[in-house]
Amino acid sequence: QGPAVHAMGGLRSGRATANGLDTQTPKASGGGEDQLEHLTGARCLASTWIVCGHFAPRLQPSFFTAARHRGNAAVNFFIIMSGFITHWVYASRITQPGSGHVQRFYVRRIGRVVLTTWVAMILGVCVLLIQLRGHAPDMWHLLRCFLFVETWRDPVEWCPNGQTWTVAALLPSWLLYPATCRAINAIERGGGAM
């Protein structure tokens, strides 16, 4: 028997014992989950593309000028990869019966990102207060930033952590993922494949 294909989880590692050989997919060091090595290289390339887009000198047009100005393609790659990894890691867990799986998904997937972003935003507000010499920015604007709705309301308006737009874009997907995953799993169990 080779790797098993799970309806919602895609290709999963399995244990094959033909001729006594264990063909289980190698595990990530210490994590216990399947590690997709090829995505590590792709993440490195996309990260380099983004960093170069922000910090590469812009003195003269060159062969890389067009790529430097299209760093948003690398950001889009990260957003799509986030959805893929979310499904790869959580699909089989979320579709299992039990009430704790969805809560653990929200804590693990959203909790770390939101808390880290809030810490960065608090530091950004502190820097802003120093720059404005104690004059506080609009509190309603800051509240909308901390709730990740400002970029949906006015994408031009600045938030204390400029990258909050990414979290604001991913947050609805993360919130809807458990319900969507369970709905698709129910359709597949009923005989309809997607």
Side-chain angles (χ1 to χ4, degrees), residues 55-74:
F55 298 109
R58 300 168 191 246
L59 301 175
Q60 297 176 343
S62 69
F63 177 75
F64 297 106
T65 301
R68 185 179 63 224
H69 293 297
R70 298 296 296 172
N72 62 326

Side-chain angles (χ1 to χ4, degrees), residues 115-153:
L115 289 176
T116 304
T117 305
W118 282 344
V119 168
M121 290 173 76
I122 289 169
L123 293 173
V125 168
C126 293
V127 169
L128 187 63
L129 288 173
I130 292 170
Q131 289 178 338
L132 295 176
R133 292 177 171 50
H135 293 90
D138 178 30
M139 293 311 230
W140 289 112
H141 168 70
L142 290 177
L143 178 64
R144 288 189 304 268
C145 289
F146 275 86
L147 295 175
F148 302 106
V149 295
E150 184 63 25
T151 53
W152 293 97
R153 181 183 167 270

Side-chain angles (χ1 to χ4, degrees), residues 26-141:
K27 298 290 183 182
S29 56
E33 289 296 327
D34 295 339
Q35 183 162 345
L36 304 172
E37 298 287 337
H38 56 285
L39 289 183
T40 303
R43 285 175 44 205
C44 178
L45 292 174
S47 298
T48 302
W49 188 356
I50 292 169
V51 169
C52 288
H54 284 294
F55 298 109
R58 300 168 191 246
L59 301 175
Q60 297 176 343
S62 69
F63 177 75
F64 297 106
T65 301
R68 185 179 63 224
H69 293 297
R70 298 296 296 172
N72 62 326
V75 173
N76 290 343
F77 168 77
F78 275 110
I79 291 172
I80 291 169
M81 188 175 63
S82 172
F84 174 79
I85 294 297
T86 298
H87 188 68
W88 178 264
V89 173
Y90 293 105
S92 61
R93 297 176 193 173
I94 286 186
T95 56
Q96 293 174 355
S99 60
H101 299 292
V102 173
Q103 289 84 355
R104 280 192 296 278
F105 166 77
Y106 285 138
V107 168
R108 290 179 180 160
R109 189 69 184 167
I110 298 172
R112 281 184 287 195
V113 174
V114 170
L115 289 176
T116 304
T117 305
W118 282 344
V119 168
M121 290 173 76
I122 289 169
L123 293 173
V125 168
C126 293
V127 169
L128 187 63
L129 288 173
I130 292 170
Q131 289 178 338
L132 295 176
R133 292 177 171 50
H135 293 90
D138 178 30
M139 293 311 230
W140 289 112
H141 168 70

Side-chain angles (χ1 to χ4, degrees), residues 2-23:
V5 177
H6 184 270
M8 288 298 295
L11 187 62
R12 293 287 186 208
S13 64
R15 206 172 273 279
T17 56
N19 298 330
L21 297 175
D22 181 3
T23 60

